[in-house]
Amino acid sequence: MNYIWEVVGRQPTGQQPSGAETIQKLCDRMASSTLLEDRRDAVRAIKSLSKKYRVEVGTMAMDHLLRILQSDRTDTEILGYALDTLYNIVCSDEEEEPEENQQKQEDDLGARFTEEFIGEPDNITLLLTLLEEFDFHVRWRGVKLLTVLLKSQCAPVQSIVLVSPMGVSRLMDLLADSREVIRNDGLLLLQQLTKGNTAIQKIVAFENAFERLLEIITEEGSSDGGIVVEDCLLLLLNLLKNNSSNQNFLKEGSYIQKMKPWFEVGDDNSGWSAQKVTNLHLMLQLVRVMVSPVNSPGATASCQKAMFQCGLLQQLCTILMATGVPADILTETINTVSEVIRGSEVNQDYFASVNAPSNPPRPAIVVLLMSMVNERQPFVLRCAVLYCFQCFLYKNHKGQGEIVATLLPSTIDASSISAGQLLCGGLFSADSLSNWCAAVALAHALQDNLTQKEQLLRVQLATSLGKPPVSLLQQCTNSLSQGDKLERRGSRVQTKVGLLMLLCTWISNCPIAVMHFLHNQDNVPFLTGQISENLGEDERLVQGLCALLLGICIYYNDNSLENYTKEKLKQLIEKRIGKENFVEKLGFISKHELYSRAAQKPQPAFSAPEHMLFDHEFTKLIKELEGMITKAVLKSSEEEKKEEEVKKTLEQHDSIVTQYKELIREQDCQINELKEQVASLTSQSETLQSTVTQQFSQMQQHKDQYNILKLKLGKDGHVNSLQTEEQSRLRKKLEELQRQNQLLQTQLTERDSLMTSLVCVCVCVCASESELMEKELSSATSSAAVMQTEKSKLQQELQESKKEQDDLLMLLADQDQKILSLKHRLQDLGETIEDEDDLDARDQFDDDDDDEEEEECDE
């Protein structure tokens, strides 16, 4: 420590200054020294005193140390000393805790100095900037300081880092550092940074964290790796838990496929290290985060599909059936497989096909159920198996049918143990926990499946030699009512609750099962007796479930049994129990503490076997039925009659609405057909219009030709003598054209009638349609009227064009005949006949000569 006295300028002889005085002089030296070496020595001296005089150094030197970090950035040695000193001030080391407890305002010095440090956000920004230094001591000590700041005041530091430019990116660069010490401490820093902050979690994920973390896990040996693998897995859990965006990013990035090698366990599973157990446990938790029931159904389903396609589910089932696997890993694997197959038909079918490596091979479901009903197995393992069985049957009607089928007489195989036999054995065994688990498991085989509820009524059980078999339903009610036997067991309440949950699930929404239950004359008196008795606190839950079972018998009663109709059961309740008392006992179920716990999540998680009373799916049934049963019991017969009348009226109304819907559908079809017909007629009209246009152009051409011929014929003297005969011929031709015109007129009249009929049909449809249909039909009618107008115009134009065209054609034909006859006469007279072109040229020449003669005469 001599260098300290050298720095403060005093020898260790005589009266020594106190620690506070020494620290004050060192702080003055840091503030006033102009030489870097002097400041460096002062900071080094402060560092050596920072653990012993933590309060004094933190109070007097923190501001000076922060100024050193700002002003002496070029000297990495002094930066390292300053960061170490700040770390010693802020870090709450258990071994260095002060003995005095006089400060009542601040119990933790670390929290106090952390608040002072982060009071100025620029200090965190400065620290983030220092992390860019490549020097080992600066970077490593900066990582440690920021980590302890996050541990002490996580949320405020997270907020500052979040708004700092490139703050998170600078911290992500630590994972790429080639020095393992910095990389590993960077993992710890990111663990603290990502706790409970969704925004930072997203930024870290999009900074390629998944790729880098999976690479580190592989480099370190996956499940056989050390503490670094554990740190990577903890960081991954922080990034994914309750963060749907990051979960989707992990799935879309095909990172699920890269998780499969983690679970490749060899045949020799002896001698698992504690670190390997921890690593594999975290890996299983990571898989469960991706398929947790609390996630959105779509995201869970896509992850389940990816896990099956890449073979991860198959790998988990291999661990499930392997030997030598530690119990806690086996339990967590069962829970993981449960959630990977929950609600996924493909995954559930695959799980049903998995066999245990035994001789002969047995289905994995049977092997697991054997563990569940075995009272020597660990409690957590039995809970995990029950959860796996529940997830296998969740929304799996096919699997439910296969389980129930193993109990039916036609499918029982005496040579092998089936799932149904194990469940029945556990249901009536001497172990109350087996009773409860088997009852809940069998109830899940009936959940929301009316067919299997009716099928289970066929199951017959052999009770003893010489006695006829009884139905499973009867045996359940017998076991429920045999109080003496239940009292000799460890927990009569647990067994009763399990049986009552099974019966309530069985007969709910199944009138046939209700009839079978009421057919036994002892059941209703037993239930009313249980409800009306004054029992202890533990038995109040049993009373509530008995009230629920009796209420189900009322609500789903089809009145097929004369002695136990709805009205008679309600009268019985009012007479022996009292309606208010009945409702009070029924309401006790949902007020129970264990009911609230079970309603939170599907997985049965209980701290002790005696706490296993409620099933998650059964709590949903209670929420659904409690209000309906209460209303059904409290209603009078007159109110029920009114409700029935209202129901009938509503049913009639529904039928009327259905009829009108069908009528509207038919009318829609008719309207569509009419629209098609209107469209075809429109196209025909357009075709006719184009035809008329073409004919009009042809007629115009013919007119021009006719005028030319008329001029030519006017000069020939022989034409005048033949005009009379030609006119008579033209009249005949015109009469013939008129007849053809009449035929065309009749065709147009037929089309007009068709259009009129279409309009009438449209009007009829409009009369029965809604307002929307009326608008559509009116538009169709108006369009039809417009088309009718257009057609009338087209008819007139067509008639005129036909007349003109026919006239021209006749004139042209006659003219050609006249020219031909004239040619023959001229030939007979010995005249030379020239071609038409020569005649045209000569005519033109004659015309020119005539013009010249006329001009000469004028002169």
Side-chain angles (χ1 to χ4, degrees):
M1 299 291 289
N2 288 334
Y3 71 92
I4 297 178
W5 304 114
E6 293 176 359
V7 172
V8 299
R10 182 175 296 183
Q11 298 293 329
T13 58
Q15 185 178 2
Q16 296 182 354
S18 64
E21 292 175 349
T22 303
I23 293 168
Q24 184 61 52
K25 289 184 178 182
L26 291 171
C27 291
D28 295 339
R29 179 65 59 88
M30 282 192 296
S32 60
S33 296
T34 57
L35 294 177
L36 178 61
E37 290 79 7
D38 292 341
R39 292 196 300 275
R40 186 190 301 127
D41 292 339
V43 175
R44 185 170 66 244
I46 287 286
K47 172 196 167 186
S48 63
L49 297 173
S50 59
K51 288 187 178 181
K52 184 176 181 181
Y53 299 101
R54 183 182 176 192
V55 177
E56 292 81 356
V57 173
T59 304
M60 293 185 284
M62 182 178 288
D63 292 338
H64 299 289
L65 293 170
L66 291 172
R67 279 194 290 271
I68 291 291
L69 294 177
Q70 294 174 349
S71 60
D72 294 328
R73 291 282 302 276
T74 58
D75 187 73
T76 58
E77 187 177 358
I78 194 172
L79 291 178
Y81 292 149
L83 291 171
D84 256 349
T85 306
L86 290 171
Y87 176 80
N88 293 336
I89 295 171
V90 175
C91 182
S92 300
D93 194 348
E94 296 181 357
E95 297 180 357
E96 300 295 335
E97 285 185 356
E99 296 180 359
E100 301 99 0
N101 294 322
Q102 298 177 356
Q103 296 182 352
K104 295 181 180 179
Q105 296 180 354
E106 295 291 342
D107 296 332
D108 187 4
L109 288 176
R112 169 190 164 186
F113 291 127
T114 300
E115 290 178 359
E116 292 181 10
F117 187 91
I118 66 175
E120 183 60 44
D122 290 340
N123 294 336
I124 299 294
T125 305
L126 174 63
L127 188 55
L128 292 172
T129 306
L130 292 174
L131 291 179
E132 294 181 345
E133 293 287 343
F134 186 74
D135 182 79
F136 174 79
H137 295 285
V138 175
R139 200 172 203 191
W140 180 48
R141 288 162 179 165
V143 170
K144 293 178 66 178
L145 176 58
L146 187 56
T147 303
V148 75
L149 290 173
L150 283 165
K151 287 181 179 179
S152 181
Q153 297 288 332
C154 186
V157 178
Q158 285 176 332
S159 301
I160 298 172
V161 172
L162 190 59
V163 298
S164 298
M166 301 297 292
V168 178
S169 299
R170 291 170 179 170
L171 299 179
M172 283 298 300
D173 291 339
L174 299 173
L175 297 183
D177 200 305
S178 59
R179 294 160 293 191
E180 291 188 0
V181 176
I182 295 178
R183 184 199 67 182
N184 298 343
D185 283 345
L187 287 171
L188 300 177
L189 169 60
L190 290 171
Q191 284 181 26
Q192 298 297 325
L193 181 67
T194 55
K195 280 185 177 179
N197 193 306
T198 305
I200 293 179
Q201 291 168 1
K202 291 180 181 179
I203 296 174
V204 171
F206 282 95
E207 287 285 345
N208 206 26
F210 294 138
E211 182 73 27
R212 183 60 187 139
L213 290 173
L214 292 175
E215 287 178 358
I216 295 174
I217 291 173
T218 303
E219 292 170 1
E220 295 292 327
S222 296
S223 60
D224 293 322
I227 189 67
V228 177
V229 173
E230 179 182 349
D231 292 337
C232 290
L233 293 170
L234 289 172
L235 178 55
L236 284 171
L237 284 172
N238 281 356
L239 296 176
L240 294 171
K241 198 169 185 179
N242 300 323
N243 193 319
S244 58
S245 175
N246 283 1
Q247 291 172 10
N248 184 64
F249 184 70
L250 181 78
K251 177 182 67 67
E252 295 297 334
S254 300
Y255 294 112
I256 291 178
Q257 290 82 343
K258 297 181 181 181
M259 296 163 61
K260 179 191 173 184
W262 295 353
F263 305 102
E264 293 178 354
V265 179
D267 297 332
D268 186 11
N269 295 315
S270 60
W272 285 43
S273 65
Q275 187 62 57
K276 181 175 181 178
V277 171
T278 301
N279 291 344
L280 198 56
H281 196 275
L282 291 173
M283 291 172 177
L284 292 169
Q285 286 185 0
L286 198 60
V287 175
R288 293 186 66 185
V289 166
M290 298 297 295
V291 292
S292 174
V294 301
N295 297 343
S296 64
T300 299
S302 60
C303 290
Q304 289 173 333
K305 181 180 179 180
M307 290 176 183
F308 175 77
Q309 290 177 344
C310 73
L312 194 149
L313 173 60
Q314 294 84 331
Q315 204 65 47
L316 292 175
C317 290
T318 302
I319 298 176
L320 196 66
M321 295 291 104
T323 57
V325 178
D328 52 349
I329 293 298
L330 180 60
T331 301
E332 189 64 18
T333 303
I334 294 173
N335 289 327
T336 306
V337 171
S338 303
E339 294 180 351
V340 173
I341 67 174
R342 186 176 189 268
S344 173
E345 182 179 358
V346 175
N347 293 5
Q348 288 168 339
D349 290 343
Y350 170 77
F351 183 71
S353 66
V354 175
N355 289 323
S358 59
N359 191 13
R362 287 178 177 172
I365 297 174
V366 173
V367 176
L368 292 174
L369 288 178
M370 292 173 68
S371 301
M372 186 186 74
V373 297
N374 187 350
E375 56 184 318
R376 292 190 296 274
Q377 293 293 335
F379 172 65
V380 290
L381 179 63
R382 299 174 74 180
C383 291
V385 173
L386 175 61
Y387 184 45
C388 185
F389 191 73
Q390 292 173 345
C391 292
F392 169 68
L393 297 178
Y394 182 71
K395 294 184 179 180
N396 185 6
H397 286 192
K398 178 183 176 183
Q400 290 174 325
E402 291 173 352
I403 296 299
V404 173
T406 59
L407 288 167
L408 299 178
S410 58
T411 58
I412 292 178
D413 185 4
S415 61
S416 61
I417 300 176
S418 66
Q421 293 172 352
L422 290 171
L423 291 176
C424 283
L427 191 62
F428 305 113
S429 69
D431 178 32
S432 61
L433 186 59
S434 296
N435 300 154
W436 191 90
C437 291
V440 171
L442 195 55
H444 276 258
L446 307 175
Q447 195 77 37
D448 299 326
N449 196 326
L450 180 61
T451 302
Q452 302 310 321
K453 290 178 181 180
E454 296 176 355
Q455 287 292 320
L456 201 64
L457 296 171
R458 298 170 49 200
V459 177
Q460 300 289 322
L461 300 178
T463 55
S464 60
L465 293 175
K467 291 186 178 180
V470 297
S471 66
L472 177 61
L473 181 66
Q474 184 61 46
Q475 185 63 23
C476 289
T477 56
N478 292 342
S479 299
L480 189 63
S481 60
Q482 291 173 358
D484 296 338
K485 293 183 179 181
L486 290 173
E487 287 177 1
R488 290 197 295 269
R489 299 179 184 178
S491 177
R492 62 192 297 261
V493 173
Q494 190 174 47
T495 301
K496 278 188 173 184
V497 169
L499 289 171
L500 286 169
M501 285 196 299
L502 172 60
L503 291 173
C504 290
T505 305
W506 191 347
I507 70 172
S508 64
N509 200 23
C510 184
I512 297 177
V514 171
M515 182 190 68
H516 279 255
F517 180 80
L518 294 176
H519 189 72
N520 187 345
Q521 302 293 328
D522 298 331
N523 290 340
V524 173
F526 168 75
L527 293 177
T528 55
Q530 287 284 316
I531 299 170
S532 60
E533 287 184 4
N534 294 322
L535 301 175
E537 186 69 22
D538 294 338
E539 293 289 341
R540 290 185 64 188
L541 178 59
V542 176
Q543 287 183 316
L545 292 173
C546 288
L548 178 66
L549 183 59
L550 186 57
I552 292 173
C553 292
I554 295 174
Y555 190 80
Y556 292 106
N557 196 329
D558 59 358
N559 296 324
S560 58
L561 294 178
E562 184 178 356
N563 294 333
Y564 293 110
T565 61
K566 287 184 178 181
E567 189 61 32
K568 289 185 178 180
L569 288 176
K570 288 167 62 176
Q571 293 174 359
L572 186 65
I573 290 174
E574 186 174 7
K575 181 179 179 181
R576 297 188 179 180
I577 303 171
K579 291 185 177 180
E580 291 76 10
N581 188 27
F582 178 87
V583 173
E584 181 182 356
K585 297 291 178 65
L586 179 63
F588 179 79
I589 303 174
S590 58
K591 297 177 183 178
H592 200 280
E593 179 184 1
L594 297 177
Y595 172 89
S596 302
R597 292 182 186 177
Q600 293 175 359
K601 57 182 181 179
Q603 182 181 1
F606 305 98
S607 57
E610 57 269 16
H611 293 161
M612 292 185 73
L613 291 179
F614 287 103
D615 172 58
H616 177 76
E617 292 297 327
F618 185 71
T619 60
K620 294 181 181 179
L621 183 66
I622 294 173
K623 288 180 183 179
E624 178 186 353
L625 295 178
E626 183 178 357
M628 296 188 297
I629 291 174
T630 300
K631 290 180 181 179
V633 171
L634 295 178
K635 285 176 187 174
S636 62
S637 58
E638 295 180 356
E639 291 176 344
E640 285 189 352
K641 290 180 181 179
K642 289 181 180 179
E643 282 195 357
E644 289 179 358
E645 292 177 358
V646 171
K647 286 182 180 179
K648 290 181 180 178
T649 304
L650 291 175
E651 289 176 357
Q652 294 176 356
H653 180 267
D654 291 340
S655 64
I656 293 172
V657 170
T658 303
Q659 293 176 359
Y660 273 112
K661 286 181 179 179
E662 293 177 354
L663 178 61
I664 289 172
R665 291 192 192 98
E666 293 177 357
Q667 292 175 348
D668 286 339
C669 295
Q670 294 177 1
I671 289 172
N672 292 330
E673 293 176 357
L674 292 174
K675 286 181 178 179
E676 291 176 357
Q677 293 181 9
V678 170
S680 64
L681 290 174
T682 303
S683 63
Q684 291 178 7
S685 297
E686 292 175 354
T687 305
L688 288 174
Q689 188 173 3
S690 63
T691 304
V692 169
T693 304
Q694 293 175 359
Q695 291 177 352
F696 181 77
S697 62
Q698 291 176 359
M699 287 174 63
Q700 190 67 32
Q701 293 176 0
H702 291 163
K703 281 183 179 180
D704 295 337
Q705 293 176 1
Y706 173 75
N707 292 329
I708 293 170
L709 291 173
K710 190 174 182 181
L711 290 174
K712 289 181 180 180
L713 293 173
K715 293 181 180 181
D716 194 341
H718 298 283
V719 176
N720 294 327
S721 61
L722 299 174
Q723 289 294 328
T724 305
E725 297 177 0
E726 298 299 332
Q727 287 179 357
S728 61
R729 291 178 184 177
L730 287 174
R731 288 191 185 95
K732 293 179 180 179
K733 296 287 184 181
L734 286 174
E735 291 176 358
E736 185 178 354
L737 287 173
Q738 288 177 355
R739 287 195 297 271
Q740 292 178 359
N741 211 8
Q742 289 178 357
L743 291 175
L744 290 173
Q745 187 66 33
T746 55
Q747 292 178 358
L748 289 173
T749 304
E750 291 176 357
R751 290 188 180 181
D752 289 341
S753 62
L754 176 62
M755 289 293 297
T756 304
S757 64
L758 289 175
V759 172
C760 293
V761 173
C762 290
V763 172
C764 294
V765 172
C766 289
S768 60
E769 278 286 1
S770 61
E771 293 182 1
L772 181 60
M773 296 303 175
E774 290 176 0
K775 292 180 180 180
E776 292 181 357
L777 289 176
S778 62
S779 63
T781 306
S782 61
S783 62
V786 171
M787 289 178 59
Q788 182 68 24
T789 305
E790 291 179 354
K791 284 188 177 182
S792 62
K793 293 179 180 179
L794 290 175
Q795 288 173 7
Q796 295 177 359
E797 293 178 358
L798 181 61
Q799 290 175 1
E800 293 175 358
S801 63
K802 285 288 185 181
K803 289 179 181 180
E804 292 178 355
Q805 184 179 4
D806 293 339
D807 292 341
L808 288 172
L809 290 174
M810 291 299 297
L811 287 173
L812 288 172
D814 293 340
Q815 187 64 34
D816 290 338
Q817 189 66 30
K818 289 177 182 179
I819 292 170
L820 183 61
S821 62
L822 289 174
K823 285 181 180 180
H824 288 305
R825 289 181 183 180
L826 291 172
Q827 286 176 357
D828 294 338
L829 294 173
E831 295 290 336
T832 301
I833 304 300
E834 297 180 355
D835 293 335
E836 292 181 358
D837 294 336
D838 297 337
L839 290 172
D840 293 338
R842 183 176 295 176
D843 291 340
Q844 184 66 34
F845 179 77
D846 293 339
D847 292 339
D848 294 338
D849 291 341
D850 294 338
D851 293 338
E852 290 177 358
E853 290 176 357
E854 289 176 1
E855 288 177 359
E856 290 177 357
C857 293
D858 293 336
E859 289 178 357

